[in-house]
Amino acid sequence: MDAETGPAGAAPDLLYSEEEDDLRAAVRSLLTGRADLPAALGRAESGAPHDTALWTSLAAGIGAAGLLVPEDLGGQGASHREAAVVLEELGRAVTPAPFLTSSVIATQTLLALKPESAAVGELLGALAAGRTVAVLAVPLSTGPDGPLPTATTSGGIRAVADATVADVLLVLADDGLYAVGTSAPGVTVRPGTPLDLTRPLSTVTVDPAALAAGTRLTDAGAAEAAVRRGLLAGAGLLASEQLGLAEWCLEATVRHTRERHQFNRPIGSFQALKHRMAHLWLEIVSARAAARGAADALATDSPDAPLAVAVAQAYCGRVAVHAAEECVQLHGGIGITWEHPAHLYLKRAKSDEIALGSTGSHRERLATLTALPAPGAPAP
């Protein structure tokens, strides 16, 4: 029995397949040649971090945008496992790309509806081909079980990630889920100033006329369930981005401590630094298991997917921040300069830690799912 139809409760497959390794090599080669860190830093400073040509190569050239979309709708017919590999590489390069927001969250939201309907199927095909970028109009901090804003939210919907490069917004309303073009009259996308300059945030306002001119995809009941499914997939695969980020930070730190000398010896040979890097390596190994477990649970549609996602987000966010902090500190003076990319990783790690639900909220969710009593509370 294969991974897609494995029995409930089967042990997750945490290993990478040959196809996943090939996909990783292709994405890494693209990012190495087209998205080097000095270029990323320069784009972040420009206020327009996204490289549209790079996104076209990733989304359409490699086919990454359609990994979750079935082949009969124009996608690759792959799974969350392959999407997780792409996010690991995007995390390693802190690449400004709407893959998480469009190719995972928005795409999964649409897949949770009725893909055979004309409007949903057409939009999924456009997303899979890389012709269109869609963004779910909720704050980046919204977790799978968090409160969901609607188009009537006072003051607009704040902190929507990647809305500045979106062609379509998926907007919740009282009567369902709508697809609204960002260029439509009555739609306003006002960029903000985020901590993480590589993932721009905006305030989105959709007036009633723009909503009425949009396409209603489903009714209110199905809309909320679909949005929460999209956010669950996003939270689970965000752990893979955090994993890739942490791995780069450790590798860069080890490389620097081998090359940097004090007292005529590499500083990496000092026992105290060895212990810190070894401890971080152990954390990253555990983070890899948690992230892969979440990706596999989502790929197999396991009933334990909410639990696996909660575990991954409760752990991986903290590990990514720790790795980035160690990277900055162990690089010494150069680590706190603007010219060195370490600050990009620290800001992305801190931003990711509160994205799609904070670490604390996922711990609470984990406690609820496992019926674990709060400290000091009587056992059930």
Side-chain angles (χ1 to χ4, degrees):
M1 187 173 290
D2 62 30
E4 295 297 326
T5 59
D13 181 4
L14 305 184
L15 301 179
Y16 297 99
S17 67
E18 183 177 349
E19 292 78 9
E20 290 165 6
D21 287 336
D22 291 342
L23 176 61
R24 180 191 306 282
V27 174
R28 185 173 297 188
S29 176
L30 173 66
L31 297 181
T32 299
R34 301 274 297 278
D36 61 308
L37 289 170
L41 182 57
R43 286 194 300 272
E45 291 178 309
S46 73
H50 291 93
D51 182 340
T52 55
L54 173 65
W55 171 246
T56 299
S57 297
L58 178 67
I62 291 180
L67 286 174
L68 298 185
V69 180
E71 291 184 76
D72 59 356
L73 293 175
Q76 305 300 319
S79 74
H80 301 77
R81 292 174 58 92
E82 288 79 11
V85 169
V86 174
L87 278 166
E88 283 183 38
E89 293 306 309
L90 294 176
R92 285 180 64 93
V94 286
T95 304
F99 183 82
L100 177 66
T101 48
S102 181
S103 304
V104 175
I105 298 175
T107 297
Q108 182 67 75
T109 299
L110 293 170
L111 288 170
L113 301 175
K114 295 180 178 179
E116 63 271 14
S117 71
V120 175
E122 182 180 350
L123 184 50
L124 280 170
L127 294 179
R131 298 192 304 269
T132 300
V133 172
V135 168
L136 182 63
V138 300
L140 180 60
S141 59
T142 306
D145 300 301
L148 301 176
T150 65
T152 58
T153 299
S154 177
I157 304 171
R158 296 177 175 84
V160 179
D162 294 331
T164 54
V165 293
D167 305 296
V168 174
L169 296 171
L170 302 182
V171 185
L172 269 174
D174 294 335
D175 62 339
L177 184 68
Y178 286 77
V180 181
T182 53
S183 59
V187 176
T188 303
V189 177
R190 188 170 68 254
T193 304
L195 170 66
D196 176 16
L197 297 177
T198 65
R199 181 166 279 153
L201 304 179
S202 305
T203 297
V204 172
T205 305
V206 181
D207 68 23
L211 197 66
T215 302
R216 185 170 178 261
L217 301 176
T218 189
D219 58 32
E224 180 174 346
V227 167
R228 295 199 183 281
R229 178 63 183 179
L231 292 172
L232 181 70
L237 297 191
L238 177 64
S240 292
E241 178 179 294
Q242 292 165 326
L243 169 63
L245 185 155
E247 288 179 333
W248 183 91
C249 288
L250 177 59
E251 291 171 10
T253 303
V254 170
R255 183 167 56 249
H256 175 75
T257 57
R258 283 176 175 170
E259 297 170 352
R260 180 76 169 90
H261 284 66
Q262 285 185 354
F263 308 111
N264 207 31
R265 59 185 293 192
I267 61 173
S269 65
F270 299 146
Q271 190 173 41
L273 299 191
K274 284 183 178 180
H275 286 173
R276 287 171 65 170
M277 288 183 283
H279 179 68
L280 184 57
W281 180 82
L282 289 173
E283 288 186 348
I284 291 174
V285 169
S286 298
R288 184 180 300 114
R292 293 297 294 169
D296 187 72
L298 290 166
T300 58
D301 199 19
S302 168
D304 291 330
L307 179 63
V309 169
V311 169
Q313 273 304 306
Y315 187 75
C316 293
R318 180 181 63 81
V319 172
V321 171
H322 182 211
E325 289 174 340
E326 290 287 75
C327 181
V328 170
Q329 187 172 20
L330 295 184
H331 272 78
I334 192 176
I336 60 172
T337 62
W338 186 262
E339 290 75 14
H340 195 278
H343 68 93
L344 293 178
Y345 287 86
L346 179 57
K347 291 170 184 174
R348 173 66 71 89
K350 293 296 288 185
S351 175
D352 281 358
E353 191 180 26
I354 58 174
L356 299 169
S358 66
T359 299
S361 68
H362 285 288
R363 287 176 178 170
E364 291 177 1
R365 180 61 177 159
L366 180 58
T368 300
L369 291 170
T370 57
L372 182 68

